[in-house]
Amino acid sequence: MTSPEVRHFTESFASYFTSVGFPKMAARVLMSVMVSENGLTASEIAADLHISAAAVSGATRQLLQWSLIKRTPVRGSRRDRFEVVSDAWYRAVVANYGTYEQLARMAGAGA
């Protein structure tokens, strides 16, 4: 279980992500995994965020597709641990570079 301060930080960050178009549950799961030291299992994510296993499954599927998290098997277990990809933010910016470039061109034309 996370401290109230960490919970406030993760929920605030997730709320901002949601305000710019990121899916709410994916944002919450990403931030929960991000603040963990060694990643989290699906059941740990569900317990930490007080959400259903189905919500965790959908959010982790999206985050895996976007290459923001990775799935690592837990040795001696049938469970997987989800961890943030080390260069996730770089990948996100590069993936959206065309969008940012277009916005810059449009802003320049409007100016």
Side-chain angles (χ1 to χ4, degrees):
M1 191 55 86
T2 57
S3 72
E5 294 83 10
V6 171
R7 166 75 49 230
H8 176 73
F9 168 77
T10 59
E11 291 297 335
S12 295
F13 217 101
S15 179
Y16 176 75
F17 272 20
T18 301
S19 75
V20 296
F22 207 84
K24 181 178 181 177
M25 201 54 61
R28 292 184 71 213
V29 169
L30 178 61
M31 292 311 302
S32 182
V33 172
M34 184 176 289
V35 299
S36 69
E37 290 194 28
N38 298 312
L40 297 170
T41 65
S43 60
E44 290 169 334
I45 294 168
D48 187 44
L49 297 177
H50 306 287
I51 59 176
S52 70
V56 173
S57 178
T60 56
R61 184 174 39 257
Q62 285 180 316
L63 295 169
L64 287 164
Q65 287 175 343
W66 298 331
S67 300
L68 294 175
I69 63 171
K70 63 182 178 179
R71 180 191 315 254
T72 306
V74 175
R75 184 177 281 261
S77 172
R78 295 178 61 197
R79 295 179 183 225
D80 292 324
R81 184 166 296 284
F82 296 98
E83 302 169 3
V84 174
V85 174
S86 62
D87 62 349
W89 298 118
Y90 173 77
R91 287 174 183 243
V93 169
V94 169
N96 290 305
Y97 179 74
T99 301
Y100 298 137
E101 188 176 41
Q102 178 64 21
L103 287 171
R105 276 197 301 269
M106 292 171 63

